[in-house]
Amino acid sequence: MTRVVLAPDSFKGSITAADAADALAEGWASVDPTAEFVRRPMADGGEGTVAAFAAAVPGARRMPVAVDGPAGRRIDTTWLLLPPDPANPGGTAVVDLASTSGIELLDDLRPWDADTTGFGQAIAAALDHGVSRLVVGIGSSASTDGGIGMLTVLGARVVDADGVPVPRGARGLADIHTVDLSGLRAAPEVRVLTDVTNPLIGSRGAAAVFGPQKGLVAAADIGAVDAGLARLAALLDLDPTTAGTGAAGGTGGALLVWGATLAPGAAEVAELVGLEQAVRDADVVITGEGSYDGQSGDGKVPSFLAAIAASAGATALLAAGRIADDADTALFAASASLTDLAGSSDAALREPARWLREAGSVLARAV
Protein backbone atom coordinates (compact mmCIF):
# COMPACT_ATOMS: atom_id res chain seq x y z
CA MET A 1 0.00 0.00 0.00
CA THR A 2 1.37 3.41 -1.00
CA ARG A 3 1.24 6.14 1.63
CA VAL A 4 0.80 9.51 -0.07
CA VAL A 5 1.14 12.88 1.68
CA LEU A 6 -0.74 15.66 -0.14
CA ALA A 7 0.67 19.07 0.77
CA PRO A 8 -0.04 21.64 -1.94
CA ASP A 9 -0.21 25.38 -1.50
CA SER A 10 -3.34 27.13 -2.79
CA PHE A 11 -3.54 27.77 -6.52
CA LYS A 12 -4.01 31.54 -6.33
CA GLY A 13 -7.47 32.74 -7.21
CA SER A 14 -8.38 29.28 -8.47
CA ILE A 15 -8.64 26.60 -5.76
CA THR A 16 -7.79 26.32 -2.09
CA ALA A 17 -4.98 24.14 -0.81
CA ALA A 18 -7.46 21.80 0.89
CA ASP A 19 -9.57 21.37 -2.25
CA ALA A 20 -6.44 20.89 -4.35
CA ALA A 21 -5.31 18.10 -2.01
CA ASP A 22 -8.70 16.41 -2.33
CA ALA A 23 -8.63 16.56 -6.12
CA LEU A 24 -5.09 15.16 -6.30
CA ALA A 25 -6.12 12.31 -4.02
CA GLU A 26 -9.11 11.46 -6.21
CA GLY A 27 -6.91 11.36 -9.27
CA TRP A 28 -4.26 9.18 -7.64
CA ALA A 29 -6.90 6.79 -6.27
CA SER A 30 -8.28 6.26 -9.78
CA VAL A 31 -4.94 4.61 -10.60
CA ASP A 32 -3.98 3.23 -7.19
CA PRO A 33 -7.20 2.56 -5.22
CA THR A 34 -5.36 0.99 -2.26
CA ALA A 35 -3.29 4.09 -1.55
CA GLU A 36 -3.52 5.73 1.87
CA PHE A 37 -3.71 9.53 1.85
CA VAL A 38 -2.61 12.07 4.45
CA ARG A 39 -3.71 15.62 3.70
CA ARG A 40 -1.62 18.53 4.95
CA PRO A 41 -2.78 21.66 3.05
CA MET A 42 0.03 24.20 3.11
CA ALA A 43 0.73 27.92 2.88
CA ASP A 44 3.86 30.02 2.98
CA GLY A 45 2.59 33.36 4.23
CA GLY A 46 0.56 34.17 1.15
CA GLU A 47 -2.98 33.30 0.15
CA GLY A 48 -4.33 30.48 2.30
CA THR A 49 -2.30 31.25 5.43
CA VAL A 50 -5.32 32.07 7.58
CA ALA A 51 -7.11 28.99 6.21
CA ALA A 52 -4.16 26.76 7.12
CA PHE A 53 -4.14 28.00 10.71
CA ALA A 54 -7.94 27.79 10.94
CA ALA A 55 -7.86 24.15 9.88
CA ALA A 56 -5.01 23.20 12.19
CA VAL A 57 -5.85 25.00 15.46
CA PRO A 58 -8.93 23.87 17.44
CA GLY A 59 -11.00 26.77 18.69
CA ALA A 60 -9.72 29.27 16.12
CA ARG A 61 -12.29 31.92 15.26
CA ARG A 62 -12.58 34.07 12.17
CA MET A 63 -13.10 37.71 13.13
CA PRO A 64 -14.85 39.92 10.55
CA VAL A 65 -13.37 43.28 9.61
CA ALA A 66 -13.98 45.85 6.87
CA VAL A 67 -10.86 47.39 5.34
CA ASP A 68 -9.74 49.58 2.46
CA GLY A 69 -8.78 47.02 -0.18
CA PRO A 70 -6.08 47.47 -2.82
CA ALA A 71 -8.64 48.47 -5.45
CA GLY A 72 -9.48 51.60 -3.46
CA ARG A 73 -12.81 50.45 -2.07
CA ARG A 74 -13.97 48.88 1.18
CA ILE A 75 -14.01 45.10 1.38
CA ASP A 76 -15.21 42.64 4.00
CA THR A 77 -12.61 40.15 5.16
CA THR A 78 -11.46 38.37 8.33
CA TRP A 79 -8.53 37.87 10.61
CA LEU A 80 -8.14 34.76 12.76
CA LEU A 81 -8.16 34.65 16.56
CA LEU A 82 -6.35 31.69 18.10
CA PRO A 83 -7.27 30.65 21.65
CA PRO A 84 -5.29 32.14 24.56
CA ASP A 85 -2.52 30.22 26.26
CA PRO A 86 -0.37 30.97 29.32
CA ALA A 87 2.22 32.81 27.23
CA ASN A 88 -0.42 34.75 25.27
CA PRO A 89 -3.39 35.46 27.55
CA GLY A 90 -5.01 37.71 24.96
CA GLY A 91 -4.71 35.09 22.25
CA THR A 92 -2.85 35.20 18.97
CA ALA A 93 -4.09 36.97 15.86
CA VAL A 94 -3.28 35.62 12.40
CA VAL A 95 -3.59 38.29 9.72
CA ASP A 96 -2.69 37.76 6.10
CA LEU A 97 -1.98 40.49 3.63
CA ALA A 98 -3.44 38.42 0.79
CA SER A 99 -6.99 38.80 2.11
CA THR A 100 -6.66 42.51 2.91
CA SER A 101 -4.20 44.05 0.42
CA GLY A 102 -3.54 41.13 -1.92
CA ILE A 103 -3.15 41.04 -5.68
CA GLU A 104 -5.97 38.50 -6.07
CA LEU A 105 -8.38 41.19 -4.83
CA LEU A 106 -7.73 43.27 -7.96
CA ASP A 107 -9.55 42.98 -11.26
CA ASP A 108 -6.94 45.25 -12.83
CA LEU A 109 -3.41 45.87 -11.59
CA ARG A 110 -2.79 49.21 -9.84
CA PRO A 111 1.03 49.49 -9.67
CA TRP A 112 1.04 53.10 -8.47
CA ASP A 113 -2.05 53.22 -6.26
CA ALA A 114 -2.58 49.83 -4.58
CA ASP A 115 -1.29 49.96 -1.04
CA THR A 116 -1.15 48.20 2.35
CA THR A 117 -3.71 50.32 4.19
CA GLY A 118 -6.18 47.43 4.51
CA PHE A 119 -3.50 45.18 5.96
CA GLY A 120 -2.75 47.81 8.58
CA GLN A 121 -6.45 48.18 9.39
CA ALA A 122 -6.81 44.44 10.01
CA ILE A 123 -3.73 44.48 12.25
CA ALA A 124 -5.17 47.46 14.13
CA ALA A 125 -8.47 45.61 14.61
CA ALA A 126 -6.59 42.68 16.13
CA LEU A 127 -4.66 44.99 18.44
CA ASP A 128 -7.91 46.71 19.48
CA HIS A 129 -9.26 43.27 20.39
CA GLY A 130 -6.38 42.90 22.85
CA VAL A 131 -4.32 40.09 21.34
CA SER A 132 -0.97 39.34 22.93
CA ARG A 133 0.73 38.08 19.78
CA LEU A 134 0.51 38.59 16.04
CA VAL A 135 1.35 36.16 13.26
CA VAL A 136 1.18 37.92 9.90
CA GLY A 137 1.54 36.45 6.44
CA ILE A 138 2.76 38.87 3.80
CA GLY A 139 2.74 36.94 0.52
CA SER A 140 0.58 37.77 -2.51
CA SER A 141 0.78 41.55 -2.15
CA ALA A 142 -0.70 43.93 -4.72
CA SER A 143 1.54 46.92 -4.08
CA THR A 144 5.07 48.26 -3.80
CA ASP A 145 4.39 50.98 -1.25
CA GLY A 146 7.16 50.03 1.19
CA GLY A 147 4.53 49.29 3.82
CA ILE A 148 3.76 52.97 4.35
CA GLY A 149 0.01 52.34 4.13
CA MET A 150 0.27 49.86 7.00
CA LEU A 151 2.59 52.10 9.05
CA THR A 152 0.28 55.08 8.60
CA VAL A 153 -2.71 53.16 9.96
CA LEU A 154 -0.59 52.10 12.94
CA GLY A 155 0.25 55.70 13.78
CA ALA A 156 3.20 56.78 11.65
CA ARG A 157 3.13 60.13 9.83
CA VAL A 158 4.60 59.98 6.34
CA VAL A 159 4.58 63.48 4.84
CA ASP A 160 5.97 65.57 2.00
CA ALA A 161 8.07 68.73 2.25
CA ASP A 162 4.94 70.75 3.10
CA GLY A 163 3.93 68.42 5.91
CA VAL A 164 1.06 66.94 3.89
CA PRO A 165 0.52 63.16 3.99
CA VAL A 166 1.87 61.58 0.80
CA PRO A 167 -0.49 59.84 -1.63
CA ARG A 168 -1.19 56.16 -1.04
CA GLY A 169 0.74 53.48 -2.86
CA ALA A 170 4.03 53.58 -4.73
CA ARG A 171 2.91 56.95 -6.10
CA GLY A 172 3.69 58.54 -2.74
CA LEU A 173 7.26 57.25 -2.42
CA ALA A 174 8.77 60.06 -4.49
CA ASP A 175 7.17 62.72 -2.26
CA ILE A 176 8.33 61.43 1.13
CA HIS A 177 10.27 64.04 3.06
CA THR A 178 9.75 63.01 6.68
CA VAL A 179 8.67 59.86 8.49
CA ASP A 180 7.57 60.43 12.08
CA LEU A 181 7.24 57.19 14.07
CA SER A 182 6.61 58.81 17.45
CA GLY A 183 2.90 57.96 17.31
CA LEU A 184 3.39 54.38 16.14
CA ARG A 185 1.41 51.85 18.19
CA ALA A 186 3.47 49.60 20.43
CA ALA A 187 4.01 46.21 18.84
CA PRO A 188 3.28 42.99 20.72
CA GLU A 189 5.29 39.94 19.72
CA VAL A 190 4.96 39.95 15.92
CA ARG A 191 6.10 37.03 13.76
CA VAL A 192 6.08 37.62 10.03
CA LEU A 193 5.64 34.68 7.67
CA THR A 194 7.22 35.38 4.31
CA ASP A 195 7.98 33.30 1.25
CA VAL A 196 10.87 35.41 -0.08
CA THR A 197 14.28 36.56 1.13
CA ASN A 198 14.80 39.45 -1.28
CA PRO A 199 16.33 42.73 -0.09
CA LEU A 200 14.40 45.97 -0.35
CA ILE A 201 16.28 47.54 -3.26
CA GLY A 202 18.59 46.71 -6.14
CA SER A 203 18.48 44.06 -8.86
CA ARG A 204 16.90 41.54 -6.47
CA GLY A 205 14.75 44.11 -4.70
CA ALA A 206 11.02 44.62 -4.40
CA ALA A 207 10.61 46.83 -7.47
CA ALA A 208 12.96 44.97 -9.82
CA VAL A 209 11.83 41.42 -9.07
CA PHE A 210 8.19 41.73 -8.06
CA GLY A 211 7.18 45.09 -9.54
CA PRO A 212 6.45 43.64 -13.00
CA GLN A 213 3.98 41.17 -11.48
CA LYS A 214 2.13 44.17 -10.04
CA GLY A 215 2.15 46.24 -13.24
CA LEU A 216 5.47 48.09 -13.04
CA VAL A 217 6.76 47.33 -16.52
CA ALA A 218 8.87 50.25 -17.78
CA ALA A 219 12.49 50.31 -16.61
CA ALA A 220 12.13 53.99 -15.69
CA ASP A 221 9.14 53.23 -13.44
CA ILE A 222 10.95 50.36 -11.72
CA GLY A 223 13.97 52.63 -11.19
CA ALA A 224 11.81 55.40 -9.75
CA VAL A 225 10.10 53.08 -7.26
CA ASP A 226 13.46 51.54 -6.32
CA ALA A 227 14.85 55.01 -5.62
CA GLY A 228 11.78 55.85 -3.54
CA LEU A 229 12.21 52.69 -1.48
CA ALA A 230 15.88 53.54 -0.93
CA ARG A 231 14.92 56.99 0.37
CA LEU A 232 12.26 55.46 2.61
CA ALA A 233 14.82 53.03 4.04
CA ALA A 234 17.17 55.90 4.84
CA LEU A 235 14.42 57.80 6.65
CA LEU A 236 13.44 54.67 8.59
CA ASP A 237 17.10 53.87 9.42
CA LEU A 238 16.54 50.48 7.79
CA ASP A 239 19.30 48.48 6.12
CA PRO A 240 17.79 47.86 2.65
CA THR A 241 20.10 44.90 1.99
CA THR A 242 18.61 42.85 4.84
CA ALA A 243 17.06 39.61 3.63
CA GLY A 244 13.27 39.75 3.53
CA THR A 245 12.94 43.54 3.60
CA GLY A 246 11.74 43.42 -0.02
CA ALA A 247 8.91 41.01 0.74
CA ALA A 248 5.42 42.29 -0.08
CA GLY A 249 6.66 45.38 -1.88
CA GLY A 250 8.78 46.43 1.09
CA THR A 251 6.26 45.62 3.79
CA GLY A 252 8.76 43.15 5.25
CA GLY A 253 11.10 46.04 5.94
CA ALA A 254 8.34 48.19 7.44
CA LEU A 255 7.40 45.37 9.79
CA LEU A 256 11.03 45.02 10.89
CA VAL A 257 11.02 48.71 11.75
CA TRP A 258 7.88 48.12 13.84
CA GLY A 259 9.77 45.46 15.80
CA ALA A 260 8.65 42.27 14.09
CA THR A 261 10.68 39.13 13.40
CA LEU A 262 10.77 37.60 9.93
CA ALA A 263 10.41 33.83 9.59
CA PRO A 264 10.16 31.39 6.65
CA GLY A 265 6.43 30.99 6.13
CA ALA A 266 6.43 27.45 4.78
CA ALA A 267 8.49 26.17 7.73
CA GLU A 268 6.19 27.82 10.28
CA VAL A 269 3.02 26.40 8.72
CA ALA A 270 4.66 22.98 8.32
CA GLU A 271 5.43 22.86 12.03
CA LEU A 272 1.87 23.86 12.84
CA VAL A 273 0.30 21.10 10.74
CA GLY A 274 2.78 18.36 11.71
CA LEU A 275 4.10 18.00 8.20
CA GLU A 276 7.52 16.51 8.95
CA GLN A 277 6.05 13.62 10.94
CA ALA A 278 3.58 12.90 8.16
CA VAL A 279 6.32 12.89 5.52
CA ARG A 280 8.58 10.71 7.64
CA ASP A 281 6.07 7.87 7.24
CA ALA A 282 5.31 8.53 3.56
CA ASP A 283 6.30 6.84 0.32
CA VAL A 284 5.27 9.79 -1.85
CA VAL A 285 4.81 13.52 -1.26
CA ILE A 286 2.79 15.59 -3.73
CA THR A 287 3.02 19.36 -3.53
CA GLY A 288 2.16 22.20 -5.86
CA GLU A 289 1.12 25.80 -6.45
CA GLY A 290 -0.51 27.90 -9.12
CA SER A 291 2.65 28.97 -10.92
CA TYR A 292 5.95 27.14 -10.54
CA ASP A 293 8.67 29.41 -11.90
CA GLY A 294 12.19 30.62 -11.33
CA GLN A 295 11.27 32.08 -7.94
CA SER A 296 9.67 28.91 -6.61
CA GLY A 297 12.97 27.56 -5.33
CA ASP A 298 13.39 30.45 -2.90
CA GLY A 299 11.40 29.64 0.23
CA LYS A 300 8.10 28.69 -1.37
CA VAL A 301 6.07 25.58 -0.54
CA PRO A 302 7.16 23.22 -3.37
CA SER A 303 10.92 23.56 -2.79
CA PHE A 304 10.41 23.31 0.96
CA LEU A 305 8.37 20.12 0.56
CA ALA A 306 10.92 18.63 -1.83
CA ALA A 307 13.67 19.14 0.76
CA ILE A 308 11.62 17.48 3.50
CA ALA A 309 10.77 14.56 1.22
CA ALA A 310 14.44 14.09 0.30
CA SER A 311 15.49 14.02 3.94
CA ALA A 312 12.82 11.38 4.67
CA GLY A 313 13.62 9.24 1.64
CA ALA A 314 10.19 9.87 0.09
CA THR A 315 9.53 10.53 -3.59
CA ALA A 316 8.60 14.17 -4.28
CA LEU A 317 6.11 14.99 -7.05
CA LEU A 318 4.85 18.35 -8.32
CA ALA A 319 1.50 19.50 -9.71
CA ALA A 320 1.32 23.14 -10.78
CA GLY A 321 -1.10 25.33 -12.64
CA ARG A 322 1.72 26.23 -14.96
CA ILE A 323 5.41 25.33 -15.02
CA ALA A 324 7.52 28.12 -16.47
CA ASP A 325 10.32 27.49 -18.93
CA ASP A 326 12.88 28.83 -16.44
CA ALA A 327 11.67 26.60 -13.61
CA ASP A 328 13.99 23.94 -12.24
CA THR A 329 11.96 20.77 -11.66
CA ALA A 330 14.99 18.62 -10.84
CA LEU A 331 13.83 18.46 -7.21
CA PHE A 332 10.91 16.26 -8.28
CA ALA A 333 10.77 12.74 -9.66
CA ALA A 334 7.88 13.81 -11.90
CA SER A 335 5.77 16.91 -12.48
CA ALA A 336 2.45 17.77 -14.11
CA SER A 337 1.27 21.11 -15.47
CA LEU A 338 -2.47 21.76 -15.40
CA THR A 339 -2.04 24.17 -18.31
CA ASP A 340 -0.45 21.46 -20.42
CA LEU A 341 -3.07 18.89 -19.43
CA ALA A 342 -5.98 21.24 -20.12
CA GLY A 343 -4.52 22.68 -23.32
CA SER A 344 -4.48 26.29 -22.11
CA SER A 345 -4.16 28.32 -18.93
CA ASP A 346 -7.76 29.57 -19.32
CA ALA A 347 -9.09 26.02 -19.45
CA ALA A 348 -7.03 25.04 -16.41
CA LEU A 349 -8.29 28.05 -14.45
CA ARG A 350 -11.92 27.34 -15.33
CA GLU A 351 -11.82 23.80 -13.95
CA PRO A 352 -8.87 23.48 -11.58
CA ALA A 353 -10.28 20.51 -9.66
CA ARG A 354 -10.83 18.55 -12.87
CA TRP A 355 -7.26 19.05 -14.04
CA LEU A 356 -5.81 18.44 -10.60
CA ARG A 357 -7.57 15.08 -10.62
CA GLU A 358 -5.98 14.42 -14.00
CA ALA A 359 -2.60 15.52 -12.62
CA GLY A 360 -3.02 13.12 -9.71
CA SER A 361 -3.59 10.20 -12.06
CA VAL A 362 -0.66 11.23 -14.29
CA LEU A 363 1.68 11.41 -11.29
CA ALA A 364 0.47 8.04 -9.99
CA ARG A 365 1.38 6.43 -13.31
CA ALA A 366 4.77 8.12 -13.33
CA VAL A 367 6.15 6.42 -10.21
Side-chain angles (χ1 to χ4, degrees):
M1 180 176 64
T2 306
R3 185 176 173 88
V4 182
V5 170
L6 301 150
D9 198 348
S10 63
F11 286 52
K12 289 182 180 179
S14 173
I15 191 169
T16 67
D19 288 343
D22 288 343
L24 287 165
E26 289 177 25
W28 187 286
S30 70
V31 176
D32 179 9
T34 65
E36 178 183 347
F37 299 104
V38 178
R39 294 166 174 80
R40 292 292 186 272
M42 280 290 293
D44 55 18
E47 184 184 47
T49 298
V50 163
F53 275 81
V57 179
R61 288 192 291 145
R62 288 185 179 267
M63 308 294 287
V65 63
V67 304
D68 294 344
R73 57 179 179 267
R74 296 289 276 185
I75 61 171
D76 293 321
T77 186
T78 61
W79 57 275
L80 191 71
L81 178 63
L82 306 185
D85 58 58
N88 301 290
T92 295
V94 183
V95 183
D96 67 37
L97 187 150
S99 64
T100 55
S101 303
I103 195 167
E104 296 299 328
L105 300 174
L106 294 177
D107 293 324
D108 299 298
L109 298 177
R110 304 179 76 224
W112 294 102
D113 300 302
D115 78 327
T116 53
T117 293
F119 183 50
Q121 289 168 336
I123 289 173
L127 296 177
D128 290 344
H129 188 82
V131 299
S132 307
R133 181 172 179 261
L134 276 170
V135 175
V136 296
I138 60 171
S140 309
S141 75
S143 69
T144 315
D145 76 338
I148 59 176
M150 176 200 70
L151 287 176
T152 298
V153 172
L154 296 177
R157 292 193 73 248
V158 185
V159 299
D160 63 18
D162 296 321
V164 177
V166 300
R168 291 184 178 184
R171 186 180 304 282
L173 291 173
D175 297 334
I176 298 175
H177 182 269
T178 304
V179 179
D180 179 3
L181 301 180
S182 62
L184 198 61
R185 295 183 70 157
E189 178 192 348
V190 184
R191 195 156 182 85
V192 182
L193 309 187
T194 178
D195 59 359
V196 299
T197 56
N198 298 66
L200 182 64
I201 62 172
S203 62
R204 293 189 62 250
V209 175
F210 304 111
Q213 300 171 2
K214 302 168 186 179
L216 286 174
V217 178
D221 291 342
I222 291 170
V225 173
D226 191 68
L229 291 172
R231 176 166 178 76
L232 175 63
L235 292 170
L236 292 174
D237 195 24
L238 171 69
D239 180 356
T241 68
T242 301
T245 51
T251 305
L255 285 161
L256 279 181
V257 169
W258 192 37
T261 300
L262 301 183
E268 293 284 316
V269 175
E271 181 177 356
L272 176 76
V273 303
L275 182 67
E276 290 201 34
Q277 179 59 52
V279 172
R280 196 173 299 131
D281 300 327
D283 301 301
V284 173
V285 177
I286 307 178
T287 186
E289 63 182 357
S291 178
Y292 187 81
D293 53 31
Q295 298 171 18
S296 295
D298 191 11
K300 293 183 180 291
V301 167
S303 60
F304 179 78
L305 263 292
I308 291 180
S311 67
T315 299
L317 304 173
L318 171 71
R322 62 178 286 272
I323 299 176
D325 292 338
D326 67 343
D328 182 4
T329 58
L331 296 171
F332 304 96
S335 59
S337 161
L338 273 59
T339 295
D340 290 348
L341 293 172
S344 71
S345 58
D346 287 343
L349 287 168
R350 280 196 300 270
E351 298 181 283
R354 172 187 174 183
W355 297 111
L356 279 162
R357 286 192 291 272
E358 182 66 19
S361 65
V362 167
L363 293 173
R365 293 188 183 97
V367 298

